[in-house]
Amino acid sequence: MNLVLQNARVIDPVRKLDEISDLEISDGKISRIGTALTSTFERRDLNGAVIAPGFFDMHVHFREPGFEYKETIESGLDAAMAGGFTGVCCMPNTQPAISDPFVVSYIRERAAGHLVALEICGTMTNGRGGEELSPMAALAKAGVRMVSDDGAAVRSAEVMRRVFEYAKMYDLLVTQHCEEHALTHGAVMNEGMVSTRLGLPGWPAVAEDIIIARDILLAEYIGNVRYHVAHVSTRGGVRLVREAKARGLVVSCEVTPHHFTLTDRAVEELGTNAKMCPPLRTSDDVDAIIEGLRDGTIDAIATDHAPHALHEKETDLASAAMGIIGLETAIPLGLTHLVGAGKLTLSQFIERSSIAPRRLLGLRPASISIGEPANLTMFDPAKQWRFEESDIRSKSHNTPFLGTEFTGKVLGVVSNGQAHFL
Amino acid sequence: MASTRAASIQPKTAAFSPNGKAFSSPKRKDLLTVEHLPLETVLHLLDRSDHYVKFLEAPGPFQKLKILEGRTIANLFFEASTRTRTSFELAERRLGADVISLTPAVSSLAKGESILDTIRVLEAMKIDAFVIRHNVSGVPGFLASRLPHNLHVVNAGDGVHEHPTQALLDAAEMRAALGSLSGKHVAIVGDILHSRVARSNAWLLAKLGAKVTFVGPDTLMPRNVAAVFGVDTTNNLDSILDTADAVMMLRIQMERQARGFFPSIEEYREEYGMTPERMSRSTALILHPGPINHGVEIETEAAYGERSLVLRQVRRGVAVRMAVMEWLFSNEV
């Protein structure tokens, strides 16, 4: 693939690069960076829009194998591409779960050749059962870099201790879905003012904090483990991670776009498309999350892209499935609510969306420098537009953001020797 | 292909609102919550229920009214209830409506999808109003949001959210006994956490100017309850006996004890039961939404004593539901 991208604002936080220039790609590699490049290649004028290192979403649910009616590897990767991502990591709560290197190879085969690179998260325990260790040596040999029983926490502290001890031998990132299940029976939303008023069973913030605290203490006790909190949603959780980092522990966390934009009040307005796990919290939690993103306590932005079919959402709150699709709205939400609102600089936003998630997974950074493979996300941070159903590439349409006006739009991606423009 | 299909069915509006608020068009008339019911409507319904109580108390054979002649009402009780369903049915029949009552078996929450199918099938048979009870909060509001605007939905109790007709009948009886509810003190005692009756009563009594105290152990109080409902809370039933004008005893579900909400029935009765001894230290009216656990939350003497409104509540239930059904099909606001 040969291409010249002209008049772009090229930003690479790692290289401290932020300048208006042209970028030439020859055979899929960055061949020249400079102003007014002359070239016989196909040209695209970006009119000052941003070129950043390709964005990476470390937390998506692609539902294959087992739930192909919600999403497939192919439709999920297409959604990622449309959303401006060049890499994703899919979570293991499939059927069968990713507790076996054969499932890893099946998924890898299905993703081969796509513009978007697919990393695969294995389970921590067999079948996400929370009892026996998954075959982490075999999973690591199959290319797995992260393990998680996402969708549920490992309930037993004893099992969790063994997970830490075993995972560290293979330098696996241990990612926990933090939920003390004894405190969340039947819960459909955050426990607080809104749940009390609507008479809906609540998921208290402390149920998340308890598991984060337990795991940090275990991680500290075992030593030399890399612990990652999936989709942190509470003020308490952010505080626990901040304190752990200050003590020098290798603890990290991610946040979803919906947790930095919406609160539990949305449940009343948006119904089942505001039912998530962890649930949408209060404005006080959102403030703490944004502060955590600013000061680096929160390392990464990850969507928790969770496709569900219409019939799984077109029902009452108690029966409805949890989660929303997120790949096509993540970058616009970040640009609107973080960058546009002055909470993060563009450089910080790119760091949390591209550099940090790749670093956490032990992947090479998507560097914008000559000789590197072109791995790029292009977006216009000022473009105003309205998110419509026709913008969705995911197989499912469960999003609360239909009809939302955004400031900031993805223009395209380049990776794996391919370019895709929207 | 699948996405195209989904696109064609997915409503353009956002999903449902548990209280139905977002979907009520100006023309639409439902009774989904007390929270969003205007005071004007409350007073109209209470006044009409006074009218229908007199009608029901009139001696001689009952004269069937024709106010709802030609209307078909479906009572859908997804959660078992004999008294509320009977009360609605009688109210509807006495106004001349054609009535069908269904108690679809709902063995698990996972069957949520079929609720929508059930109501769509009935709608296709031309039903004018649905009365819905369900053990999940927000179901009547959800179903209302998916029905055409010329239909009416009445919430007959949803989860631990609201039970509007119960609150209306309670308020109507208290008003009849006390003259007015303005400035009066009403205590609601027991399992507030799992009570839609407490929630609807708190909204309604606040609209009518009464002061409300929720009484119960902290394990049975919802989080932030005082701030949400603007009520006082206490763990001490004795502390409100001399100031309360009315005390509403809630039914305690025996299975709550097994789940650890309180240590034993004996301790619950000791702390929160309306005993003859407590009756003697109070002049308050006694209410209970039923069915009563005799000797647990209330002693028989208190339940059927001279200050008890318990049986009057039952009669008022029919009158209030007549007022509500009449209002749905009327031009009243």
Side-chain angles (χ1 to χ4, degrees):
Chain A
M1 179 204 48
N2 299 325
L3 186 65
V4 176
L5 301 165
Q6 295 178 304
N7 301 314
R9 181 175 168 193
V10 180
I11 306 178
D12 183 342
V14 175
R15 298 187 54 225
K16 305 257 187 288
L17 183 70
D18 186 350
E19 62 188 28
I20 301 287
S21 55
D22 299 348
L23 199 146
E24 184 191 62
I25 301 163
S26 315
D27 288 334
K29 287 188 174 170
I30 298 170
S31 47
R32 282 194 290 166
I33 305 172
T35 47
L37 295 182
T38 54
S39 170
T40 56
F41 296 165
E42 184 196 335
R43 294 154 174 273
R44 283 271 178 169
D45 192 336
L46 292 189
N47 295 310
V50 172
I51 296 181
F55 278 27
F56 191 98
D57 184 349
M58 66 186 294
H59 194 133
V60 300
H61 297 272
F62 281 175
R63 308 301 190 201
E64 187 178 354
F67 307 100
E68 288 84 351
Y69 68 98
K70 298 175 195 252
E71 193 83 286
T72 61
I73 303 292
E74 188 183 4
S75 64
L77 290 172
D78 286 349
M81 185 168 69
F85 293 91
T86 62
V88 294
C89 182
C90 63
M91 302 309 282
N93 58 338
T94 47
Q95 187 60 257
I98 309 176
S99 301
D100 182 319
F102 292 113
V103 184
V104 175
S105 14
Y106 170 80
I107 293 172
R108 207 182 289 294
E109 223 165 82
R110 303 277 291 133
H114 203 282
L115 182 151
V116 179
L118 183 70
E119 291 295 322
I120 298 163
C121 177
T123 63
M124 304 197 274
T125 66
N126 272 334
R128 299 169 59 247
E131 287 170 5
E132 304 156 344
L133 296 182
S134 69
M136 289 184 231
L139 289 170
K141 277 177 201 149
V144 163
R145 296 162 180 275
M146 170 164 92
V147 287
S148 177
D149 281 1
D150 186 50
V154 170
R155 291 166 193 244
S156 154
E158 186 192 19
V159 173
M160 200 57 217
R161 169 199 177 144
R162 304 297 175 214
V163 166
F164 278 129
E165 288 171 334
Y166 205 82
K168 90 173 186 183
M169 296 192 293
Y170 304 99
D171 195 28
L172 291 162
L173 183 67
V174 175
T175 294
Q176 186 81 282
H177 166 112
C178 298
E179 173 176 358
E180 172 46 82
H181 294 278
L183 290 173
T184 61
H185 284 296
V188 305
M189 67 176 298
N190 181 52
E191 180 171 285
M193 303 277 282
V194 183
S195 68
T196 289
R197 194 158 58 77
L198 299 180
L200 290 165
W203 205 121
V206 71
E208 182 166 337
D209 304 348
I210 282 172
I211 296 298
I212 297 175
R214 177 198 75 176
D215 288 353
I216 286 172
L217 293 171
L218 280 171
E220 188 169 18
Y221 179 67
I222 304 300
N224 296 316
V225 299
R226 296 192 297 128
Y227 175 62
H228 181 74
V229 177
H231 39 54
V232 68
S233 73
T234 64
R235 174 175 286 277
V238 174
R239 191 188 69 212
L240 286 161
V241 172
R242 183 180 288 123
E243 289 167 358
K245 286 184 171 186
R247 286 210 307 282
L249 302 178
V250 187
V251 170
S252 56
C253 66
E254 70 194 26
V255 69
T256 72
H258 46 273
H259 284 113
F260 64 68
T261 52
L262 297 174
T263 68
D264 57 357
R265 291 177 180 277
V267 174
E268 201 171 355
E269 298 299 322
L270 303 168
T272 58
N273 276 332
K275 183 181 178 186
M276 336 280 191
C277 188
L280 299 172
R281 303 288 187 186
T282 66
S283 56
D284 181 59
D285 296 296
V286 172
D287 290 346
I289 279 165
I290 288 175
E291 191 45 45
L293 277 166
R294 284 167 67 96
D295 72 10
T297 300
I298 298 177
D299 302 80
I301 297 168
T303 63
D304 195 10
H305 178 81
H308 291 293
L310 182 59
H311 72 271
E312 294 167 308
K313 282 293 198 180
E314 179 68 352
T315 182
D316 63 274
L317 271 167
S319 315
M322 291 189 264
I324 56 169
I325 57 168
L327 283 164
E328 291 107 330
T329 47
I331 295 176
L333 283 167
L335 289 171
T336 305
H337 291 271
L338 299 176
V339 179
K343 313 287 188 191
L344 290 189
T345 64
L346 262 179
S347 179
Q348 286 174 314
F349 177 58
I350 294 165
E351 206 280 330
R352 311 279 186 271
S353 307
S354 172
I355 313 299
R358 283 195 169 85
R359 185 181 62 234
L360 290 169
L361 286 172
L363 298 165
R364 269 166 61 91
S367 175
I368 303 184
S369 48
I370 292 165
E372 285 289 309
N375 186 341
L376 311 170
T377 291
M378 295 168 278
F379 57 85
D380 180 347
K383 171 89 172 170
Q384 298 197 324
W385 65 294
R386 201 174 135 95
F387 180 61
E388 302 284 6
E389 205 138 17
S390 55
D391 296 310
I392 296 176
R393 291 292 166 274
S394 172
K395 202 166 179 179
S396 294
H397 289 207
N398 52 311
T399 168
F401 297 113
L402 282 179
T404 302
E405 305 277 350
F406 290 121
T407 304
K409 194 175 195 306
V410 173
L411 301 178
V413 282
V414 178
S415 187
N416 197 22
Q418 302 164 52
H420 176 78
F421 292 93
L422 294 163
Chain B
M1 283 307 285
S3 56
T4 316
R5 184 181 54 81
S8 61
I9 325 173
Q10 185 116 33
K12 284 298 163 197
T13 43
F16 78 96
S17 156
N19 59 30
K21 190 174 55 173
F23 290 89
S24 297
S25 81
K27 285 182 195 164
R28 171 134 204 163
K29 216 190 250 181
D30 299 315
L31 180 61
L32 299 174
T33 66
V34 173
E35 185 188 357
H36 300 101
L37 199 61
L39 178 61
E40 190 187 353
T41 308
V42 169
L43 294 173
H44 169 76
L45 293 172
L46 296 182
D47 291 347
R48 289 303 290 168
S49 82
D50 285 345
H51 167 79
Y52 281 122
V53 159
K54 287 194 201 100
F55 173 85
L56 293 170
E57 285 173 346
F62 162 74
Q63 203 71 34
K64 193 166 178 167
L65 299 173
K66 296 187 172 180
I67 291 168
L68 296 187
E69 199 168 45
R71 306 288 189 178
T72 308
I73 299 168
N75 300 307
L76 295 178
F77 279 66
F78 294 95
E79 180 186 86
S81 153
T82 307
R83 66 172 63 201
T84 306
R85 200 190 71 218
T86 307
S87 181
F88 268 105
E89 278 183 28
L90 277 175
E92 293 151 4
R93 288 184 201 283
R94 284 177 177 178
L95 292 171
D98 293 321
V99 177
I100 56 163
S101 288
L102 300 171
T103 52
V106 179
S107 55
S108 73
L109 296 179
K111 296 208 172 157
E113 312 91 297
S114 68
I115 302 170
L116 200 50
D117 284 341
T118 304
I119 203 153
R120 279 181 174 147
V121 165
L122 287 168
E123 185 223 326
M125 297 181 190
K126 200 183 171 324
I127 298 290
D128 297 297
F130 291 95
V131 174
I132 297 165
R133 166 168 287 197
H134 200 283
N135 64 353
V136 174
S137 303
V139 164
F142 166 66
L143 294 175
S145 74
R146 295 297 186 266
L147 285 171
H149 284 295
N150 59 339
L151 297 184
H152 307 287
V153 176
V154 175
N155 178 3
D158 62 326
V160 295
H161 179 218
E162 286 235 31
H163 191 352
T165 56
Q166 179 72 43
L168 285 165
L169 75 88
D170 292 337
E173 273 311 307
M174 286 188 275
R175 190 178 76 156
L178 297 169
S180 157
L181 280 166
S182 181
K184 297 296 193 298
H185 181 201
V186 180
I188 303 177
V189 184
D191 183 358
I192 309 295
L193 182 64
H194 300 98
S195 179
R196 55 194 174 214
V197 174
R199 282 172 172 79
S200 284
N201 262 287
W203 293 125
L204 192 58
L205 291 166
K207 284 180 206 282
L208 295 170
K211 171 178 137 66
V212 176
T213 304
F214 282 166
V215 184
D218 282 355
T219 47
L220 291 172
M221 286 284 177
R223 198 161 170 84
N224 309 116
V225 69
V228 170
F229 293 97
V231 298
D232 288 337
T233 61
T234 177
N235 311 130
N236 187 347
L237 176 57
D238 294 316
S239 71
I240 55 87
L241 286 177
D242 56 341
T243 58
D245 297 292
V247 179
M248 186 179 302
M249 307 304 297
L250 299 174
R251 177 180 170 81
I252 189 80
Q253 306 277 346
M254 302 299 185
E255 61 268 24
R256 306 285 181 224
Q257 189 259 328
R259 285 205 49 203
F261 287 100
F262 55 91
S264 67
I265 294 291
E266 291 69 31
E267 182 151 311
Y268 183 85
R269 175 171 45 217
E270 190 64 26
E271 297 297 311
Y272 303 104
M274 185 53 75
T275 57
E277 189 276 321
R278 283 195 169 109
M279 284 293 286
S280 72
R281 286 190 280 130
S282 169
T283 57
L285 301 166
I286 302 295
L287 295 93
H288 192 299
I292 289 170
N293 292 309
H294 288 275
V296 182
E297 71 267 3
I298 191 165
E299 299 289 333
T300 307
E301 296 90 322
Y304 295 116
E306 59 178 13
R307 297 207 309 274
S308 167
L309 298 181
V310 170
L311 290 176
R312 294 200 59 86
Q313 285 173 278
V314 176
R315 174 177 298 167
R316 178 70 70 160
V318 178
V320 154
R321 285 159 189 137
M322 289 174 80
V324 167
M325 301 316 293
E326 171 194 65
W327 166 77
L328 284 180
F329 293 98
S330 75
N331 294 321
E332 291 287 337
V333 180

